[in-house]
Structure formats: structure tokens, C-alpha cells
Amino acid sequence: CADSILVNKLTFAKKASNNDAGLWEQMAVCRFFNEYDYFDYTYSLASYYRKKCELMLDNLKFELPTSISFTEPEGGFFILATLPKGYDVSRFCKFAADRKLGISSITDYLTNEKTPTTSFRISFSDVSEDDIIKGVKILSNAYSAFTF
């Protein structure tokens, strides 16, 4: 059973974080939806990111060896890539960073960091199309150099 002092503090923190929207905030949101076509805007964002994702996937398929697998996401802003078994993904991510390529080991996102993995995330959301093409080439060259 939980300590009553801890429960009281957590209850207070929960109540303090319930930032219910006041009248002004509700009016602002209402005005936004009345003046802007939110659904068209959302659709345009989805199209924009889908195009970037497809560009990255096309380049990954062309540049990377088949020993690196990767997902074809149906949403989101990342592609999950996986090195062959036995590779140290954390070392590879640092190796790529030395070549000015930012990729993230999924170890950072696991609940148990000791879980063995060879997977990493690649983001396409906040980079230009030119940088996607350059980044995939850097990734391919980094992998080639890393494996030799």
C-alpha cells in the first residue's frame, strides 16, 4: 500500500496539473476553427510529410545494402532501421554522428536499456529534401566504413 504522504502529494500535483480551459481559451479555439479550415491544413501537413517519407524510403532502398532493414511507416516522423545482428548500434550512432549525421539508437526509448537491439531511428520531418538525400548517402558511407 502506498505511503499516505506520497499519495497526498501526488494527488495535489495531479489536481494542479489539470489545466482546464477557461472561457478565453475556449473562445480562441472556437474562433480558430471558425476562421481556418483545420482539416485541409491537417491534410496538407500529412501530404507534406508523406512526400518526405517517400523520398527517404526511395533513397534508403537505392543506397543501403540489403543487410540493413527498415520500416515503411504508415504515419509518424521516423523510419526505424535495423543493423544486422551482432552490431553495436550505440557505437554506430556515434560513428554516424562523427560524420555529421544524427540518428538515434532505440535503446534511448526502451523501458529496459539493457534489452539487446540493433535498431535506430531516422527522422525525415525536420530536414530539407536535399538534406534527406545527402543524409542517406552519409548513412550508407558510414555503414560501409563501420563494417570494415
Side-chain angles (χ1 to χ4, degrees), residues 73-138:
E74 295 179 13
F77 300 112
F78 301 95
I79 293 172
L80 183 71
T82 303
L83 299 172
K85 288 189 189 288
Y87 284 89
D88 184 337
V89 72
S90 295
R91 231 178 89 230
F92 179 67
C93 289
K94 289 174 188 159
F95 191 79
D98 291 342
R99 284 150 183 77
K100 310 290 186 228
L101 181 67
I103 56 176
S104 303
S105 166
I106 67 160
T107 304
D108 302 336
Y109 307 97
L110 299 174
T111 55
N112 181 354
E113 292 180 1
K114 295 183 193 279
T115 302
T117 183
T118 57
S119 297
F120 59 95
R121 292 183 351 163
I122 313 166
S123 173
F124 53 82
S125 64
D126 61 347
V127 291
S128 70
E129 292 182 5
D130 286 342
D131 285 343
I132 288 173
I133 295 166
K134 290 176 195 170
V136 171
K137 286 183 192 236
I138 293 169

Side-chain angles (χ1 to χ4, degrees), residues 56-57 60-61 64-65 68-72 79-82 122:
M56 182 173 276
L57 287 170
L60 289 171
K61 289 173 187 172
L64 294 184
I68 298 180
S69 61
F70 50 88
T71 60
E72 295 197 23
I79 293 172
L80 183 71
T82 303
I122 313 166

Side-chain angles (χ1 to χ4, degrees), residues 9-58:
K9 288 184 179 188
L10 290 174
T11 301
F12 176 78
K14 170 66 177 127
K15 286 180 181 177
S17 70
N18 278 354
N19 294 328
D20 294 331
L23 181 58
W24 186 89
E25 291 89 351
Q26 292 178 41
M27 290 173 64
V29 169
C30 182
R31 183 174 180 181
F32 174 82
F33 282 107
N34 284 333
E35 292 185 15
Y36 299 100
D37 191 340
Y38 182 72
F39 295 105
D40 278 351
Y41 177 68
T42 303
Y43 183 78
S44 72
L45 286 177
S47 297
Y48 172 76
Y49 288 115
R50 185 178 306 107
K51 181 180 174 189
K52 292 175 89 172
C53 179
E54 289 170 355
L55 176 66
M56 182 173 276
L57 287 170
D58 289 344

